[in-house]
Structure formats: structure tokens, C-alpha cells
Amino acid sequence: MSVPRIVVFDDVAKNLKDIVSTLKEGVGRKASIIPFQGSSIPDAAQSYEERLGIDLVDPKNAPDLIVADRDLSSYKDWYPGLSESTVRIAATRLGIPEVGYARETSDIEDLFLDEGTYGNACIRLKLPASAHKADFSKKILSIAQGFSEILAALRKLSDKKQLTLSSNVGAGILAQILGKPEYSDKMAMYASGDKNRLALWIKILKESDPQIQLKKLACFYGYWLWDSLLRFPGLVVNEVAAGSYLNISTAAFKKADVQAVFSKAAYKGPFADALGGLWWRGALDDLIAESDFPDGNALAKSRLKRAIPVSQCCEDSKSTAGYYCFFSNLPVSFKNSTTGLDSFPRGSDLTRISRTKSEEVLPWLP
Amino acid sequence: MARSVLDSGSIPFETEGRLLHELGLRLVASPEVALVELIKNAYDADAISCEVSLANRGSTLIIKDSGHGMTADDFKSKWMRIATATKVGEQLSPKFKRKLTGAKGIGRFAVRYLGDHLTLESVAVDPSRRCKTKLKVDFDWPKLDSKRNIQDAKVDYEVVRISDDIPTGTTLIVNQLRTSTDFTHESALRTNILRIASPFQGLDKGPMGTQADASREDPGFKIVLPGNEQDGSEQVDLSKMVLDNYWAKLTIELKKNSVNFSVHFAGASKPKTLSHDLKSTISKGFFADIRFFPRRKGVFHGKGINGIAAWEWVRENCGVAVIDHGFRIMPYGIGDNDWLNLDIDNAHNKRDWGTDIAKEHFPIPANIRNIPSLTPALSLPSNFQLVGAVFVESKPSSNSHSQDLIPSMDREGFLKNESFAQLQNCVRAGIEFLANEDKKDSNKRSEKAAKLIAASAREDIRNAISYIESSPSLTPSDKARIVKQYQGIAEKLDEQETYSEQSRRSLMTMSMLGVIAGFMTHESKAALHALQNAAEELRVLSKKNPSFKKVAEEISKNLENFKGYLNYAQMFLKNVRGLEERPLPSAGQVRQVTGRFKTFVEERGISVKNDIAADVLTPPLPVTVYSGILLNLFTNAIKGILAAEASVRNPTILFRAWNEKKSHIVEVSDNGIGVPPNLRKRIWDPLYTTTSDENNPLGSGMGLGLSLVKQVASEFNASVQLMDKPPPGFTTCFRVTFSS
């Protein structure tokens, strides 16, 4: 697989220099970091989207991933007053994935946007303070590699004539890309009732250029994975949700030897490095079932020959957790939580909202 | 030189006969006032009617009443005694217990204004003679005027016994009329007399309309004027119909030490009310009924009333009259009189209220004053839009120090004393309350009208789409294209409608954020990011040089606090645009607000208690409104504690909330410096602040907080009070009551 090309947009020269240098340092030789280069002679008759469409396919840019500041209002050079949404439109037309970064955002935005996508057309990331820029670089690299992996897998399926697009969202294709065809139905639930995703899918079906269509498909599955399947515990669980599900305290589950007990269930697909520890929930079930222990705690205790603290509900320490509070990122029991919001995907059956957080946060959400 | 007394003693005032001339000719300024003074005397004499007529081809004016008449003794002791205090002692008429209108004992001299010769005839029951008598007296006024000493100004009279079947009453026959003989025919004069003597029958007189002694039924008082062929019932009917079809009705009642305002909009189920405490100097209080007739579409439409005639009637009767004991007091509300300064303030486009009552109860924040379309003061009704009256019962000036309402000697208004100022202030405040409520009401009506227009537009679009779809002359692709365009228009219409409503309310709620909103720019976030980078550098440096460690930690902690406030502000601003109303868990929203200041209050040893049960829900509200109010009251409480500095033991802020009947109540109490009694009213004033910048990390604020809290709360059917009795152990308690 070739090294991904990452093209960076920032409207402030110093910031552009900083971020390019940070990324270069962070990704090393695993990716090429390129500041965006526009055409030297702009054609005033064309719109910014049209011109960007031409500039982006120019070999001096030709990105596999665009990384753009979400505020480009001070942009000068070739596109005075450029906006990130213009970049996003041009990128979407070409099937180029994008990461939009901002410096700081509110708590609510953290929950819904920074870790998610914007209109399934851009991954939102928070630009951390300088000390954590290595993490940022790692995430960007993982995202670039993730989209490349998906595109490669799609090309492979296409070459083998196994890529059949139908009117349903194609959870089966994603299951194949991830190497988990058995979870196809469960994945389909994550798209159930998601009209926006369905609308995007229909647009992709209508794409006439097969190469662009493949790239758009890669974006579609990448954003879906990032924004839904990997974010809302159900099919895949994060570290806190996994501990809660296995009845192991969050602190105990962070320990390497405990995680090693469940290593077979680790998620290693696209974006795994960007999102930290993730586990296939079904694989965790398999491990427990095979061991004949009642839960993950008993399994770990048996393997490690020591007591493992159980997972406690964040609302009531006497209750066992089992579920995950999306807003507090803490284990929670079924009793002390609610199902939450319509925007939670249907398949995310371990994702809930603690009672306290629901009282505080829900009124602020649309 | 030695002091030597040359003379001593006491000297009485002496009066020349000219005094009668002065009283008669200078006391009143117009024939209608002179006639009304005589009519009032007839009313006070328990007359059922008072008839004004002309005889001798218009050269004689006769004023005849059916009252109790005068005996010779009455005439001597009352009529012939100038400025008699008879009516000062008596407040009710002997027979029907009418509240007496006269008090000064000089009104009868107004007859002098009308003509140079008077014959008075009065039939009365004379108890001392045990029979009915007829008194006849002749007054030759120029002759009387010429007497050097008033004691020498004598009139000739005779008393005769008459048959018991002759009815009692007094007749004044005026000859040698001073003004044009046909003045009584002038319709303006008749109108003016009727306007003074029997004003606004259709208005509610409140307690002033009740008879003093209900056991004596008063058959009423009728005035008959020359040319009075029509009985005026048509006019009365129109007056009643117009008055009943008001746009809004304002009533004001001053009773003891409280003035109550009520505004009822036509069609509304219940009135808007306001109560204000004051120290009243008007002993009998007053009652006002003022109807508001703005020139708006549909005021008289479809109500079975001739709109042109109705508006004509409003134009002729507009203004706020003052009615004392049932008779109108000139010149209030007549002509261009502007005793409430309504027209002058309208002409000057005044953007703030003119009374302290309005400024206290429904202040206009400085930011709103700058937006003409939102400033209710600019919607103050003018005299031309109001028809109404203030009913009073003035007191005779028996006491020279009295500050009560006192009619002036010339029958033109009241003395300008403290009570009159209070009357003006309260009535003006009522009209300002009306303006404020009308502004709110018209905003709601505009919203409703806009929705109707939008609905109608959508209907038009639907019809157009149906027409296009059924058109045989268009190709399917053309149809699809045109229909799509129409659908696009419909969507835009929806967006515009939603946006307009949101932006109006957003503006109001935006103000809640106060100072913090100023930071909400891209630059502040960029600055925060740069600071975080610097703090991180410092942290790295502190590993090499431990002396930096403490500073690095301090900076990081402060940055986290700052980030917290910034986050809240941003969250608030984002949500201001989406003012969806829904029930909110009170305890959760209190935690949401107090959590932002957790470190701040902990560092200062302030304990924050949230004693709200998890199941307490608010009525449906936008979260920004509830949170904004809590935030303002919470920061006020913190400031109150910090202002008290070291004197507070166990500084505590307590949140309580509960639902009772149909209200949600939330209280924020603190044991800080408290609000001194003299400042309790002023805390609601915009730009008034009780805290200073000094030693107060939260700063003094702009003083807009409580004023805005009150204003925003009122927008959402809520009231805010500073409680007289905070919970035990607390010095200040603000209570917000939201009605369901």
C-alpha cells in the first residue's frame, strides 16, 4: 500500500507551518504531509468549489486525506475568504475524506461533533495543546490509513467482481471489509432509520465514474464506521464499555494483563489506532462462552489468579454496571440510566445515559 | 428713645360689595362651568331633575330644580353667607344620601356670571313654621356691587305660606343676560354641560359609583337643557357600544396603601394584573376605567357598530377625564389638555417610562431602549387613543395643611399638591402598564398573523402544485421541474417562519448571558489555545526547574476554569437559537449551572446545596431561559457572599425548588451581605448594582442581571421576588415562580 498523501489547509501562515511540522514529525515516513497549493492563475469565472475540484486533483496536491482548519475565513492566497464547507463540498465530489479541526469546543460539541462527523462528510477533531500533538498526528495517520484500507478493500472486492451495490446501505460490504461477515445484520441495524445515510448512499449509487464511486464508497463506509459503529458501544465496545460489560472496573480493565485476557476480541480494523482500545463485543461473548465462566470478571480472575474489582454503576456504587453512559463516559447500570436519544444508532444496545447526565444534558440537546 | 404704644386692639377684615362681582365674574371662566355649578347645587339639594330653559324670547334664563328648596333661615344662614362651611361638615345629602359635590360655599355666585339680575324662588318645608313656604329674593348685582361695604349690600326678600301640594324646589330666574342670549342654544355648550354633568355612563366607576346609603334608593338626576328635544338615548347607546368594544380596558384602583392595575384585552380570558404598594395621601382613594382604542384593523369590525360613527365618537370623547363626585373636573382630558404628559412624551419619542412604578415593575433594559421596535415606551397610548375617566371623591379643604385632593377655587382642576401628583403618577403608571402589556400582546398577535399568512401561502403553493400536476399541456419533466421549484419556495417559507420567531426570542434570551458573551469569539478560543500551549511549555520546563511547578499547576487550573465558563457560554449561545420549550429537570439544571463554578466556590469555602428532588420538573420552558435565570441568581448569591467578606460563617448558597398547584417555584438563597431595606426596590433597576469591583473576583457586573431576569421571566409567565423572609440562616432569597 502506498504512503497516503495528507493535504493541509489553514488560513494562518504560522498555524499552517506549525501543524504541518507537527504532522510531519508525528507521521514520519508513513504519510506525506503537504500544505495545499492552489493554481497560480485563478479563473474568476469559476466558483471556488469548481476551482478547488481542479486544484485538488492536481498532482501537487492529490490528497488521500484533507486536513483543514474549520475556520478558514482569513484565507488569502488563491481563495480569499475560503470556508471549510467549500473545501468539504469539493472533497465530497471527488470522494476525498476530510478531517476538520478546531481548537476548543464546548462539552456538547465534544459529544456530538468532535468525535463524530459533520454531515457524514468530514471527521471532526479537536486540535489539542502542543503537548498532545503527537496524539493528534497519530489520529490523523490512523484516519488516513483507515480510509486507504477501506478503499483498498473495496478495490479488491470490485476487482473480484464481489462488489454488488443494491438499494440497501450495504452493511454486508462493510462486514466484508472488516472481515466480520457474521456481524452483517448487526451492522445493518446501525443504519436502520438513518435517512441521511440512506440519502448519501443513493447519491453514490448514481455516481457515473466508477473510480470516483469507489472513492465515495470508501468515504461513506469510513464515516459510518467512525461516526456510528465505533462510537456507540453495541457491536464494538470501547475500553470503559468493555470493562462495564465484562463486569471489570474501568481502572482494572486498563491494566495490560487484564486486557491481554481478552486480546482475541480486540478490534484491529480501520481507525483502531485513532480511537484507542476497542473490542468486538461478540468476540468478548465468545470468549466468556468458551470459558464457561459467568462473566468476564470471573474469567480474568481465573486466568490472572487474583481478585479483579467489579464494575460499579456511576450512579450507585452498590449496583453492577453493565452499560455505558455516553455523556459521562462512565459505566452505568440499566436501572440508573435511560435509553437516550433518537440519534443513538439502533444497534448500540449498550449505550445509555445516566440519570444524572440525562437531567443535566438532555435539555440542551436538539 | 423709650418705646410708647400709640394705639392697640384688633382689626377685622372689611369687604367691599365688589367682592360679589369678583366672585361672580372671576370665579368661573365660561358659561357652561357657571351653569354646571348651579346644576351641582340642584343635585346636592336632592333634586330629581334640573331644567334649564329660556323665556321672554331668550332674554330670561331659568334654572329650575325639584330639590328640597330653601327656607328663609336656610337662605340667611347658607345662601347669604359667603364661603359657608355647611357642606364641609355634611358629606351626604339629607334625602337620597348623595355624596355632596360642593364644599366651598361659593358655587352659587357663578349665577352672577350669567346675568345682572336674579330672582330666586324657593319652595321648602319650613319645620319652624310647620308649613310649606315660598321664598322670593331679588338680586340686582350691579347695585350690590356698588356698596362700599358688603354689610350694606342687602337683598329684599319675602316669605309666603303656600299650599302643601305645591312641590318643593328652587328656581333661579336670570335676567339681563351677560352673554349672547342664544348661548344656551349652542350645541357646543350643551355638549360641554352634558360632558361635565353626566359623563361616560358606560364606564365602570368602581367603588366610586356606589350609593353612600343603599337603603335610600336614589331615583336619579336628570338635566333638561334648551333644545333637548331628543332624549339622548341614541347617543348613550352608541357610547355604551363603543366603550364595550374596547381593544383593551385598563382599570386602576387606589385603596388604602396599595394601587392595583388590571389590563384586559378584548377576547382574553383573564386580565393582566399588577399591584404596587405606596403611601397614599388620597384619603378616599380613586378608581379609573380607561378604554384603549388604537387605530388598528378590526377594532369595531363585525361588532354591529358603525365604524365611522364609533371612531367619530372616540375622537369627540377621547382623553382621560377626572370625575369628582360624579361631575367632571375641567380641564382634564378635554381639548388638548395633556395632564398625564402622554402626548408630549409621544411627541418626543421618549424611550423610557415616566414613572417609578413602571421602572420598578417592568423596566426597559438599556439594550432594548436602543431598538425602537422592541421598546414598549414608544407604544405609549396618546390621549386620542384613550377614552376613560378617573373617579375621585375630593375632600373639602377644612384643614389648611391637608394634602388630599382639593378642587381649586376656579373649578379648573385640583390644587397641585402631593395627592394630585400621586394621582397623576398612578394613572400614568397604569397607562404605561397598558403600553407594556399591549406591546407584548401585539407581538403575539403579529406572530399569529405571520403564521396565518404563511399557512395561506403554503395553501396557495399546494394549489399551484396541484394545478401544474393536472395540466395537460406540460410535459412530465417540465411538471417535475416546476413542482420542485414550488416545493423549494415552500421550504424557504418554513425556514423563514422558524427563523423569524427564533430570532425575536433569541434576542431577549441572548441578553441573559451578559458579560460572558463578550468573550465568545473565535479570538478568545484561539487565545485559550495559545495559553494552553504556553502552560504546557511551562509544565515541561518545570520538570527541569521545579520552581516553575507551582506556577504551571496554577495556570493550568485557571485555564481549566476559564475553559469551563467558555464552554457554558458557547453552549448557551448555540442553544439560544433553538428555543424549544420542554419540561426540565430542575435539580439537573441547577447542577449544570453550579458545576461551572465548582472550583471557584470551593476555593472560597462556599458550600452549594442543591435541595431539589430529582422528580421536580419545570413547566415547558427553553433551557436557556431556566439556566440563564439560575446562572444570574447563582452569581448574584456568590457576589453577595464575597461582598460580606470574612463576616460570613459557613458561607452557603441553597437551591430549593418544588411544584405546587399549577406553579413551579425555584429559590436561590445565600447567607451573604443581604439587601438593605432601602435598596430592595432599586435592585430591579437596570444598571443598578449592589456589588463593587473591589475584592470581588466576579466584578461588579453591569447591574443588568436582575432587571433582565425579571424581564425574561415575565416573557415566560414567571415572576421574580426578593423574599421578605429568607429561609432560616439565610439573608437573601430570590424566588422565581413559573406558572404552568
Side-chain angles (χ1 to χ4, degrees):
Chain A
M1 199 188 287
S2 60
V3 169
R5 289 171 65 86
I6 300 171
V7 169
V8 184
F9 285 78
D10 200 304
D11 56 341
V12 179
K14 185 185 171 299
N15 293 349
L16 179 66
K17 197 177 159 195
D18 283 354
I19 197 154
V20 166
S21 119
T22 299
L23 288 174
K24 277 186 173 172
E25 196 183 319
V27 304
R29 292 183 178 178
K30 292 176 182 167
S32 302
I33 309 296
I34 304 144
F36 171 74
Q37 291 287 306
S39 308
S40 51
I41 308 166
D43 180 354
Q46 290 176 310
S47 69
Y48 273 17
E49 287 91 342
E50 288 167 333
R51 282 174 52 202
L52 267 174
I54 296 164
D55 279 346
L56 284 174
V57 295
D58 190 294
K60 66 187 171 206
N61 293 308
D64 295 302
L65 177 73
I66 290 170
V67 174
D69 184 358
R70 270 157 49 190
D71 178 4
L72 293 172
S73 53
S74 309
Y75 205 92
K76 294 185 181 77
D77 299 336
W78 308 278
Y79 298 90
L82 181 66
S83 72
E84 189 237 352
S85 60
T86 306
V87 175
R88 200 186 319 139
I89 290 165
T92 306
R93 286 177 182 170
L94 295 167
I96 303 167
E98 189 207 323
V99 170
Y101 63 86
R103 284 170 176 81
E104 284 291 335
T105 51
S106 75
D107 293 350
I108 299 295
E109 269 196 320
D110 282 348
L111 294 165
F112 278 91
L113 297 175
D114 280 350
E115 298 299 321
T117 67
Y118 188 85
N120 298 306
C122 165
I123 287 176
R124 298 224 152 204
L125 280 188
K126 187 159 61 177
L127 182 65
S130 53
H132 303 290
K133 280 186 175 167
D135 293 341
F136 181 71
S137 301
K138 188 179 160 191
K139 274 189 181 177
I140 294 291
L141 179 62
S142 169
I143 290 167
Q145 289 174 335
F147 278 108
S148 295
E149 275 173 50
I150 296 168
L151 183 59
L154 284 166
R155 280 190 175 135
K156 213 170 161 183
L157 287 171
S158 175
D159 292 346
K160 289 183 185 173
K161 310 286 182 202
Q162 291 174 347
L163 187 63
T164 312
L165 303 181
S166 66
S167 60
N168 70 45
V169 180
I173 297 170
L174 182 59
Q176 276 183 284
I177 294 168
L178 297 175
K180 296 283 183 187
E182 67 272 28
Y183 296 150
S184 170
D185 290 346
K186 181 86 174 167
M187 283 180 198
M189 283 182 71
Y190 271 77
S192 169
D194 189 341
K195 288 178 191 164
N196 293 335
R197 215 172 291 283
L198 188 64
L200 265 178
W201 178 257
I202 290 164
K203 274 188 188 174
I204 293 168
L205 290 183
K206 288 179 180 169
E207 176 58 56
S208 54
D209 183 330
Q211 287 308 309
I212 299 283
Q213 189 183 48
L214 270 186
K215 291 178 85 175
K216 283 187 174 178
L217 271 178
C219 287
F220 177 85
Y221 286 122
Y223 290 134
W224 184 16
L225 202 52
W226 178 277
D227 191 40
S228 181
L229 288 155
L230 302 182
R231 245 179 110 206
F232 294 91
L235 180 67
V236 177
V237 286
N238 61 29
E239 214 169 62
V240 176
S244 178
Y245 185 64
L246 295 166
N247 192 21
I248 296 172
S249 76
T250 306
F253 194 73
K254 281 185 187 296
K255 292 195 163 59
D257 59 345
V258 175
Q259 290 195 0
V261 174
F262 304 96
S263 60
K264 272 190 185 174
Y267 170 85
K268 289 174 183 166
F271 315 132
D273 287 343
L275 295 171
L278 294 169
W279 284 264
W280 289 104
R281 185 256 196 101
L284 290 173
D285 286 338
D286 293 345
L287 282 172
I288 295 165
E290 285 162 15
S291 71
D292 218 20
F293 286 104
D295 60 19
N297 189 293
L299 172 62
K301 185 180 171 187
S302 157
R303 295 275 168 85
L304 300 173
K305 312 283 185 219
R306 65 165 199 267
I308 306 290
V310 295
S311 173
Q312 294 171 329
C313 169
C314 61
E315 294 280 321
D316 170 17
S317 58
K318 288 175 186 163
S319 300
T320 307
Y323 293 83
Y324 171 75
C325 171
F326 186 76
F327 289 156
S328 61
N329 192 28
L330 291 169
V332 72
S333 66
F334 185 84
K335 187 179 75 178
N336 290 314
S337 60
T338 61
T339 46
L341 309 167
D342 291 343
S343 49
F344 286 2
R346 300 276 159 85
S348 60
D349 50 6
L350 294 180
T351 309
R352 294 179 68 82
I353 306 171
S354 71
R355 187 172 39 79
T356 306
K357 278 290 165 192
S358 72
E359 288 169 9
E360 292 174 15
V361 178
L362 286 189
W364 291 90
L365 300 177
Chain B
M1 193 175 147
R3 176 176 172 271
S4 67
V5 176
L6 299 176
D7 191 11
S8 70
S10 56
I11 304 172
F13 276 108
E14 288 185 5
T15 315
E16 295 193 10
R18 270 181 53 75
L19 175 66
L20 300 174
H21 179 267
E22 293 298 311
L23 282 174
L25 299 184
R26 314 268 182 250
L27 190 64
V28 292
S30 63
E32 62 264 28
V33 173
L35 268 173
V36 168
E37 281 303 306
L38 302 175
I39 292 167
K40 279 159 78 173
N41 280 348
Y43 177 85
D44 287 350
D46 280 328
I48 295 169
S49 67
C50 177
E51 185 179 349
V52 180
S53 60
L54 289 163
N56 302 329
R57 296 181 190 168
S59 63
T60 302
L61 175 68
I62 301 165
I63 301 128
K64 183 180 181 185
D65 74 50
S66 59
H68 50 58
M70 275 184 291
T71 63
D73 286 346
D74 287 339
F75 178 70
K76 282 179 204 164
S77 62
K78 296 175 185 172
W79 225 98
M80 289 303 287
R81 195 170 173 82
I82 299 169
T84 173
T86 318
K87 291 185 183 176
V88 173
E90 299 166 11
Q91 299 208 354
L92 300 176
S93 67
K95 189 173 177 185
F96 298 130
K97 302 295 176 193
R98 290 175 179 165
K99 292 169 185 170
L100 297 185
T101 64
K104 295 185 189 306
I106 53 173
R108 61 191 174 278
F109 291 104
V111 73
R112 171 78 178 89
Y113 186 93
L114 299 170
D116 282 346
H117 190 272
L118 165 71
T119 302
L120 180 152
E121 291 177 358
S122 192
V123 175
V125 176
D126 189 338
S128 59
R129 291 190 169 98
R130 296 183 178 180
C131 64
K132 259 190 182 171
T133 59
K134 181 175 179 180
L135 167 76
K136 186 178 177 192
V137 191
D138 279 313
F139 294 77
D140 184 343
W141 293 110
K143 197 174 157 190
L144 294 168
D145 293 346
S146 66
K147 298 295 176 189
R148 182 164 174 72
N149 193 325
I150 200 161
Q151 309 292 341
D152 299 328
K154 294 179 179 172
V155 292
D156 297 328
Y157 77 98
E158 67 170 27
V159 180
V160 293
R161 180 176 183 146
I162 55 164
S163 160
D164 282 352
D165 53 10
I166 294 175
T168 60
T170 301
T171 303
L172 302 172
I173 302 155
V174 186
N175 281 304
Q176 297 168 39
L177 298 177
R178 282 190 64 246
T179 46
S180 165
T181 52
D182 62 350
F183 74 95
T184 49
H185 283 300
E186 286 175 23
S187 62
L189 179 108
R190 289 182 57 249
T191 309
N192 286 342
I193 289 174
L194 287 173
R195 187 178 282 174
I196 298 170
S198 53
F200 304 122
Q201 298 303 317
L203 290 179
D204 181 3
K205 298 177 182 63
M208 305 298 177
T210 55
Q211 207 178 329
D213 182 356
S215 63
R216 296 291 189 93
E217 196 177 330
D218 188 340
F221 180 66
K222 189 181 175 190
I223 302 162
V224 181
L225 293 171
N228 217 11
E229 287 79 15
Q230 66 180 55
D231 62 1
S233 59
E234 192 184 315
Q235 190 64 16
V236 170
D237 283 352
L238 178 64
S239 138
K240 191 173 178 326
M241 283 177 84
V242 172
L243 288 172
D244 285 350
N245 283 293
Y246 54 80
W247 183 268
K249 173 183 173 181
L250 164 72
T251 58
I252 311 166
E253 184 172 12
L254 176 71
K255 207 173 173 183
K256 293 182 179 168
N257 288 325
S258 169
V259 59
N260 296 305
F261 304 93
S262 166
V263 171
H264 180 259
F265 288 95
S269 56
K270 57 179 184 179
K272 306 281 180 187
T273 56
L274 174 71
S275 185
H276 177 79
D277 294 335
L278 46 68
K279 196 176 172 198
S280 172
T281 53
I282 304 171
S283 60
K284 295 277 180 112
F286 73 83
F287 184 86
D289 178 359
I290 299 166
R291 313 283 170 103
F292 181 38
F293 295 96
R295 272 273 186 183
R296 291 179 195 161
K297 203 176 164 186
V299 175
F300 295 119
H301 182 70
K303 291 173 180 169
I305 185 170
N306 179 338
I308 296 170
W311 282 118
E312 181 72 9
W313 187 91
V314 170
R315 194 178 61 76
E316 282 174 3
N317 293 279
C318 64
V320 179
V322 179
I323 292 170
D324 186 8
H325 290 100
F327 288 88
R328 187 164 185 171
I329 300 292
M330 300 279 271
Y332 307 122
I334 289 177
D336 58 359
N337 175 268
D338 188 25
W339 69 288
L340 297 167
N341 295 326
L342 300 175
D343 294 339
I344 192 167
D345 285 352
N346 269 319
H348 288 87
N349 284 337
K350 279 195 77 173
R351 293 185 177 207
D352 201 0
W353 302 126
T355 63
D356 291 343
I357 297 175
K359 286 176 183 169
E360 179 187 330
H361 291 279
F362 42 92
I364 306 173
N367 54 337
I368 298 295
R369 284 203 292 272
N370 293 332
I371 309 167
S373 61
L374 295 181
T375 309
L378 289 174
S379 305
L380 188 73
S382 72
N383 281 309
F384 299 106
Q385 297 172 311
L386 300 172
V387 179
V390 184
F391 298 92
V392 300
E393 285 178 2
S394 66
K395 282 191 79 178
S397 55
S398 57
N399 175 357
S400 59
H401 300 295
S402 172
Q403 280 300 312
D404 213 323
L405 280 180
I406 300 166
S408 66
M409 189 70 94
D410 61 0
R411 298 328 199 226
E412 296 275 332
F414 289 101
L415 295 187
K416 287 188 170 56
N417 59 12
E418 197 182 325
S419 290
F420 183 67
Q422 193 169 68
L423 181 78
Q424 270 181 312
N425 193 48
C426 289
V427 177
R428 166 75 185 225
I431 294 168
E432 290 177 342
F433 179 54
L434 167 66
N436 194 51
E437 292 301 324
D438 182 55
K439 187 75 193 169
K440 286 198 257 177
D441 185 69
S442 67
N443 283 344
K444 280 184 193 161
R445 283 172 198 261
S446 311
E447 252 176 62
K448 206 173 160 185
K451 278 183 184 165
L452 281 175
I453 291 167
S456 154
R458 271 195 290 270
E459 181 63 30
D460 290 348
I461 290 169
R462 266 199 296 276
N463 291 339
I465 290 173
S466 306
Y467 178 76
I468 291 158
E469 281 173 340
S470 61
S471 167
S473 57
L474 287 170
T475 65
S477 63
D478 281 345
K479 279 183 190 174
R481 186 171 49 78
I482 298 169
V483 165
K484 195 178 171 190
Q485 280 174 350
Y486 269 104
Q487 280 166 342
I489 294 169
E491 278 167 22
K492 288 271 180 278
L493 200 67
D494 283 345
E495 280 171 23
Q496 179 61 33
E497 193 186 351
T498 312
Y499 177 76
S500 302
E501 187 175 341
Q502 285 176 350
S503 54
R504 189 184 70 75
R505 300 184 86 182
S506 297
L507 190 69
M508 185 69 75
T509 321
M510 278 281 284
S511 315
M512 298 287 290
L513 197 57
V515 181
I516 308 172
F519 292 107
M520 283 315 304
T521 59
H522 173 258
E523 281 70 22
S524 71
K525 288 169 76 181
L528 178 67
H529 193 255
L531 283 168
Q532 281 176 323
N533 281 343
E536 196 54 44
E537 300 282 337
L538 204 58
R539 198 183 63 79
V540 174
L541 275 175
S542 72
K543 285 181 184 164
K544 293 177 191 163
N545 186 344
S547 65
F548 287 145
K549 196 178 171 192
K550 201 176 167 192
V551 184
E553 283 171 358
E554 189 69 17
I555 289 176
S556 294
K557 194 172 75 180
N558 284 328
L559 279 175
E560 277 307 303
N561 285 344
F562 180 59
K563 198 174 123 188
Y565 307 138
L566 206 59
N567 282 343
Y568 177 79
Q570 190 179 9
M571 188 169 84
F572 194 98
L573 285 174
K574 273 172 72 76
N575 278 275
V576 155
R577 290 192 293 273
L579 283 172
E580 189 191 338
E581 295 184 11
R582 49 185 154 181
L584 309 167
S586 180
Q589 288 317 298
V590 167
R591 280 197 305 274
Q592 180 76 1
V593 167
T594 56
R596 304 290 156 183
F597 292 84
K598 191 166 179 281
T599 317
F600 186 90
V601 293
E602 277 174 4
E603 281 175 350
R604 286 156 184 83
I606 301 170
S607 152
V608 179
K609 291 182 181 172
N610 180 351
D611 275 3
I612 304 173
D615 58 354
V616 175
L617 290 177
T618 70
L621 283 173
V623 66
T624 41
V625 168
Y626 195 65
S627 184
I629 289 173
L630 290 175
L631 175 72
N632 270 282
L633 296 180
F634 181 50
T635 52
N636 266 348
I638 295 176
K639 285 182 197 173
I641 283 175
L642 297 178
E645 293 180 343
S647 62
V648 181
R649 272 192 182 180
N650 304 322
T652 306
I653 296 168
L654 171 69
F655 284 86
R656 301 195 302 183
W658 64 94
N659 292 334
E660 62 180 33
K661 292 179 184 168
K662 287 185 175 175
S663 297
H664 169 75
I665 295 160
V666 60
E667 283 184 353
V668 184
S669 308
D670 69 74
N671 57 357
I673 194 166
V675 181
N678 57 326
L679 296 181
R680 290 176 75 87
K681 284 186 177 174
R682 289 198 62 193
I683 57 167
W684 307 106
D685 292 352
L687 303 177
Y688 180 76
T689 177
T690 52
T691 51
S692 74
D693 279 338
E694 227 173 308
N695 301 327
N696 195 332
L698 289 179
S700 73
M702 290 167 69
L704 285 172
L706 284 171
S707 161
L708 281 170
V709 162
K710 194 158 199 168
Q711 197 190 351
V712 171
S714 74
E715 278 284 309
F716 290 89
N717 225 5
S719 62
V720 189
Q721 288 170 276
L722 172 61
M723 301 303 288
D724 291 335
K725 288 183 182 171
F730 292 89
T731 50
T732 308
C733 173
F734 282 95
R735 173 184 285 192
V736 190
T737 307
F738 293 88
S739 300
S740 294

